[in-house]
Amino acid sequence: MLKGFLLAFATSCALLSPPQARADTSVPTSIVTPNVVETSRGTFEFKDGVPTEPTADALYDQLDFTYAYRTFMDTMRGVSIRALRRGMEDMGVKKNEVLVFSELMDAKSLFLTPNADTIYVMGWLDLSDGPVVIESPPEFLGIVQDAWFHWVTDMGSPGPDRGLGGKYLIVPPGYDGELPNGGYFIAHAKTNGILWFGRSFLKDGRDPKPAVDVIKSSTKVYPFEPGGVGTPIAAFLAGTARLGKIIEPPATIFHEGSGKVMNTLPPNDWSYFELLDEVVQDEPATALDVELMGPIAAVGIVKGKPFAPDQRMRGIMTDAVAVANAASRNLLMNPRDPDWFFYPDSSWFNMLFESGYEFETPIPEITRNGAKPYPPTGYRQMDARTSFFYGITGITPAMAMRLTGIGSQYLITARDADRKYFDGSKTYKVTLPKDIPESNFWSLTVYDNMTRSMLDTPQRYPRAGSQSYPSPAAEANADGSTTVYFSPTQPVGVARGNWIQTMPDKGWFVCLRLYSPLEPFFDRSWRISEIEAIK
C-alpha cells in the first residue's frame, strides 16, 4: 500500500511540475544556439536564438563575403575567356577574324602557360546572329570553348576531321533554323560568345613558314548561309528545307601576333567583377548552372540589371577577391592532393589524370579492348578545377587521355628535388632519360610565378627541346639522356640549346610537354628526373 501511495504521489508531482522544466530537458543540445557563439570569424551574440543587431550585421557581412568568394572561384574560367577575348580586341581582332603567331609566341605577351614551340592561331565568335563556320586547316590541334570555358568541340587531329582539316559549324543556343545534311562537323554551344584556338607544328621542327602558309590559305571564318552548301536539292523538293544562295565566303582577315605586347590574363582586383558582369549581360541567363549563378546574383550581378554595389558591398567583394585569388594561387603553386603527383615521391604533377577534363571522373584507361571509363564520381574536384583554370588556358578531352601518338601531355613542377621553390638566382639541372617518349617533339618551358606567362628574359623564348627553332635543339649526352640547365647566365660548357635563362629576382615554374606521347610516359617506365639545385 505504501509503495502504491508513493507512486501516485510522484505521478501527481510530475503533473504539477512547471512546463519549462520538462522543455529544458527535452530540447537536444545539438540544435541549441548559445547566447554567445565564439568562432574564428568573431563572437556572435544571441538572445534566445535572436541575433543582436551588431551580430546580424556581422553575419550578413560574412554571408556576402562567402558569396563573393564563391563567385570568384566558380567563374574564374568565364572571366579568363573574356580577358582573352579582350586582349585580342585590344590588338584590333574583331569577331570572325584570326590572330596568328607566325614566328611563335614570345615572353612579351601575357598568356596563361603558352608554349614557344608551336604556331598559335585563335579568334572569337559572336553567335547572336546565327551559326558561324570555322574551316580548320590540316595538321592542326585546336579546340572551341564557350563563354564559360566549357568544351564545345575539338578540331584537327583529336577532332572529327582527324587532322585532315574540315568545316566546323558552331550553332548558338536556342537555334531552330535549318542545319545542313552534310559537309560540316556540327557543334552546339550553350553561349553566344565563343573563343577558339589551336596550334600548328613547325616543318621538321625548324621552320614555321610552311605551316603558316597552310594556315592562311586554309583557315576561314564566316557566317553560315542556311540552305546553301550542305542542303541537298532533294530536301528542298520534299519541302523539308529551303534553298539558299551558294555564296563565296568573305576573305578572312588575319592579324599578326608575334612580337606584339598583349595582355590576356584575368584580373584579380575589383575589375574582375566588372569583367564578369560583361559575361553575364552578354550570355543567356541559363548558360551556367543555376546553383553557380546563385552566388553571382547574390552579389548583385544579374542579367538585365545594372551592377551597382554600395560602399559596404564593394568593400566586402574587394576583400573576397583578394582572398580567393590568394587561395587559387596557393593551389597552383602548392598542390596538396597526393594523387596529382605523377611519380612516387616527386614534385611533377598533372591534376587531369585524376580529375578528367570536367574535373569529376579520372580519365579512362586504355586497354587492348579499347577505352575503359571509370564510373562517375558524382562530385566536382574543386581544387583541381581552381588550380587548372588559374594557371592554364583551354580545356578539352584531348588534354586528359592516355592515347599514344595523339595530342599532347604535360607535367608541371614549381619545386626542386629538395621541395624548395625555384630561386631565379641559382643554377639547376634536370635530366631526361634516353628515348624520350614522344613521336612529334618535346619541350621544357619556364614560366613567371606571378603572371603564369613565359618568363621574360633576354632569351625571349624561355624553352629548350627537340626542335631547332626558335632556339637550337637540346643536345643529348653520350648515354642518350638529355640534361637541361636553368640559370641566369649560360653555364660553362653547356650548349645553348640545353640552357633556359632565369632572372635573379624572379621565381619560376616549369612545364614538360610531350607532343604525341608514347606508352613509356603513360606506364611511367620513363621518368624525368627531379630538378636539382647545383649551386
Side-chain angles (χ1 to χ4, degrees):
M1 181 179 294
L2 178 60
K3 188 179 295 184
F5 171 79
L6 292 175
L7 179 61
F9 179 77
T11 301
S12 64
C13 288
L15 291 173
L16 293 174
S17 298
Q20 72 180 61
R22 289 202 317 276
D24 288 343
T25 58
S26 63
V27 177
T29 58
S30 61
I31 70 168
V32 171
T33 300
N35 287 341
V36 178
V37 179
E38 300 283 358
T39 77
S40 62
R41 302 297 181 184
T43 299
F44 306 120
E45 297 182 355
F46 294 84
K47 184 177 181 181
D48 193 26
V50 176
T52 64
E53 187 171 339
T55 287
D57 291 343
L59 289 172
Y60 273 122
D61 286 350
Q62 174 63 28
L63 187 63
D64 289 336
F65 176 91
T66 301
Y67 289 144
Y69 181 90
R70 286 185 57 191
T71 292
F72 182 95
M73 294 301 221
D74 289 337
T75 65
M76 187 191 310
R77 336 169 251 178
V79 173
S80 184
I81 282 281
R82 180 54 64 121
L84 189 46
R85 170 177 161 176
R86 176 175 284 185
M88 285 192 282
E89 289 176 314
D90 290 343
M91 293 284 292
V93 181
K94 301 180 177 63
K95 67 177 183 179
N96 299 349
E97 297 180 349
V98 178
L99 179 66
V100 58
F101 290 79
S102 300
E103 297 180 5
L104 309 189
M105 190 184 297
D106 65 18
K108 294 300 181 185
S109 289
L110 297 178
F111 279 79
L112 291 176
T113 53
N115 68 66
D117 301 286
T118 61
I119 302 152
Y120 276 99
V121 189
M122 61 188 70
W124 63 276
L125 315 177
D126 183 350
L127 306 181
S128 299
D129 295 328
V132 174
V133 178
I134 304 173
E135 293 194 16
S136 169
E139 299 181 357
F140 192 60
L141 191 65
I143 53 177
V144 178
Q145 316 273 195
D146 77 7
W148 291 111
F149 228 139
H150 293 125
W151 174 74
V152 177
T153 188
D154 288 317
M155 300 185 293
S157 57
D161 75 80
R162 300 299 295 274
L164 299 179
K167 296 179 179 180
Y168 287 81
L169 183 61
I170 315 302
V171 182
Y175 179 77
D176 58 3
E178 295 176 21
L179 293 174
N181 288 13
Y184 297 86
F185 303 111
I186 299 175
H188 293 265
K190 294 182 179 180
T191 65
N192 291 316
I194 294 292
L195 189 137
W196 67 273
F197 65 92
R199 291 149 290 170
S200 288
F201 302 106
L202 309 186
K203 178 70 172 177
D204 299 323
R206 63 174 182 266
D207 186 1
K209 188 178 184 305
V212 172
D213 290 343
V214 171
I215 289 167
K216 291 187 175 181
S217 64
S218 304
T219 307
K220 298 178 182 178
V221 185
Y222 51 89
F224 171 67
E225 180 68 27
V229 174
T231 300
I233 299 298
F236 166 71
L237 295 176
T240 59
R242 66 183 178 88
L243 290 184
K245 297 179 180 179
I246 305 298
I247 301 175
E248 182 68 22
T252 298
I253 296 174
F254 289 88
H255 298 259
E256 181 55 56
S258 291
K260 303 294 177 63
V261 177
M262 58 187 297
N263 176 26
T264 70
L265 303 187
N268 52 32
D269 59 6
W270 176 257
S271 61
Y272 179 94
F273 296 110
E274 295 173 326
L275 215 53
L276 173 61
D277 184 57
E278 289 184 19
V279 181
V280 171
Q281 300 308 325
D282 285 353
E283 299 302 336
T286 56
L288 198 63
D289 182 87
V290 293
E291 289 291 335
L292 296 179
M293 289 300 294
I296 302 172
V299 299
I301 299 177
V302 179
K303 186 174 177 64
K305 295 183 179 181
F307 175 47
D310 58 23
Q311 185 176 358
R312 166 191 163 274
M313 195 64 188
R314 189 180 178 101
I316 289 172
M317 293 172 71
T318 300
D319 188 32
V321 75
V323 176
N325 172 71
S328 302
R329 177 172 288 280
N330 182 50
L331 281 170
L332 176 65
M333 304 304 299
N334 182 33
R336 64 177 177 177
D337 189 335
D339 292 335
W340 291 11
F341 295 95
F342 196 63
Y343 306 107
D345 192 30
S346 174
S347 59
W348 290 101
F349 71 92
N350 182 337
M351 71 288 289
L352 293 184
F353 282 95
E354 291 301 318
S355 71
Y357 81 100
E358 291 187 320
F359 309 100
E360 189 266 340
T361 301
I363 65 176
E365 295 287 348
I366 304 300
T367 71
R368 293 183 180 274
N369 297 319
K372 182 182 177 182
Y374 285 90
T377 62
Y379 59 85
R380 193 79 66 208
Q381 296 186 36
M382 306 303 289
D383 285 2
R385 187 191 70 177
T386 297
S387 177
F388 183 90
F389 285 112
Y390 193 77
I392 300 169
T393 295
I395 187 65
T396 161
M399 297 176 73
M401 63 181 182
R402 292 185 171 91
L403 278 178
T404 59
I406 298 177
S408 51
Q409 283 298 337
Y410 313 85
L411 293 177
I412 298 171
T413 184
R415 296 177 185 262
D416 66 16
D418 296 321
R419 303 298 186 269
K420 296 179 180 178
Y421 290 108
F422 298 124
D423 182 337
S425 66
K426 293 183 177 180
T427 298
Y428 299 85
K429 71 174 182 178
V430 65
T431 299
L432 295 83
K434 68 178 183 177
D435 300 325
I436 300 171
E438 46 78 17
S439 59
N440 196 337
F441 69 90
W442 67 269
S443 72
L444 290 162
T445 309
V446 167
Y447 299 100
D448 183 323
N449 283 348
M450 183 61 68
T451 65
R452 293 93 74 203
S453 303
M454 284 189 277
L455 186 66
D456 191 5
T457 72
Q459 270 187 346
R460 186 179 174 193
Y461 302 99
R463 48 82 64 188
S466 56
Q467 297 191 145
S468 58
Y469 184 96
S471 56
E475 299 176 13
N477 301 316
D479 63 358
S481 67
T482 303
T483 303
V484 174
Y485 293 79
F486 311 84
S487 60
T489 58
Q490 186 173 347
V492 176
V494 173
R496 169 63 185 84
N498 297 67
W499 168 58
I500 303 178
Q501 189 172 27
T502 59
M503 300 294 284
D505 59 344
K506 291 298 302 179
W508 53 275
F509 64 99
V510 63
C511 178
L512 168 69
R513 285 179 170 84
L514 300 176
Y515 280 84
S516 300
L518 301 177
E519 185 60 29
F521 171 76
F522 294 110
D523 66 18
R524 297 173 174 79
S525 59
W526 180 92
R527 174 175 174 169
I528 187 172
S529 78
E530 301 301 294
I531 299 179
E532 303 174 26
I534 57 177
K535 70 174 183 178

